[in-house]
Amino acid sequence: MNAITTKTYILAIESSCDDTAAAVLLNDKVLSNVVANQEIHQQYGGVVPELASRAHQQNIVPVVSAALRKANIDKNELSAIAFTSGPGLLGSLLVGTSFATSFALGLDIPLIDINHMQAHILAHFIDEEGYDKPTFPFIALTISGGHTQIVRVDDYFKMTVLGETIDDAVGEAFDKTAKLMGLPYPGGPLIDKYAANGNPKAFPFTKPRVKELNFSFSGLKTQILYFLQNNSQKNPDFIKENLEDICASIQHTIINIIMDKLELAVKQTGINQIAIGGGVSANKGIRQALKDSEKQKGWKTYLPKFEYTTDNAAMIGITGYLKFNQEKLDNTGFVNNGVSAQSRLKI
Ligand code: KG4
Ligand code: ZN
């Protein structure tokens, strides 16, 4: 029987950072996609690894049960289990890894280890009405709280990192500058919200000079720190009175940095199909800049459905499905033993 026409049910588990997520896919269609966010970290202004792994322990059974229930399938119908093996926080990854390994062993079905960063990119291959799938080759921009990468994608599992951040990720740049303004964690969506009513040119910030397709955001953060300190000394209400303009200016600078690098990537590779993924791709300013580039630069851009941009298990499921088919076709078999979590896994 042709593998492509077979009904493949994949249970996917994601626990790399602070979201415990499970999804069930029937081939490339999402039947359920459940995410439990960990609110505990808000009071600390960032993710506390020890608390994250404890919360994963508490959430994983109810989240997986909910995913199976919503998909309306029994665990005995599952074809394979896919889970995030890295990169991420080791203690968090281990919860998903141990759970997935035990579950697959108990059901005697294949276990598929998934790279979280590949999954952010392959989320574009989920079959979803109204969303086109990119064709190879394309450039993927993955922007999240943990990563910032520009990747050349020649095939599902043939990816080359062209550039990445040498310090903070884009999401961290948003979250850390938001924190400087006294906004709660995660500050990225709040900067996005306030920026909508602000003047992006009110406060010009300088862009960092980083070679080739690499990024750096730590200098921008320091620049904003001094800018806020200096102005708050002169006027203690400076932030409050100018919040929307400050947010719009920060967002404008970050978008410019990203668009400059994408332009260089297009120039260097001759590829003008751009697919974005990762939590920061929910940013309205970035989405608009990419949409504008279609008319202004002739690019073709792919923006994922919102629920597949931030950390989720559906993207792990689609990657698992693609890997499942590939491994079946390659006849290489599966690794059911000795799969371990790797905090620094590379694409
Ligand atoms: O992909 P994700 O859920 O988790 C990681 O793998 O990091 O990304 C979370 C990051 C956070 O830094 C959050 O502030 C940022 O994505 N984020 C945003 C927006 N929504 C989420 N940043 C800017 N604008 C947004 N609308
Ligand atoms: Zn992520």
Side-chain angles (χ1 to χ4, degrees), residues 16-19 116 120 143-147 170-172 174-175 185-193 251 278-284 286 306 309-311:
S16 65
C17 190
D18 60 339
D19 294 309
H116 180 93
H120 268 303
I143 40 179
S144 73
H147 298 273
V170 186
E172 274 179 295
F174 272 107
D175 296 341
Y185 175 86
L190 292 170
I191 291 191
D192 192 4
K193 183 178 136 196
Q251 184 162 302
V280 184
S281 60
N283 184 274
K284 287 187 214 72
I286 290 173
F306 184 74
T309 59
T310 53
D311 283 356

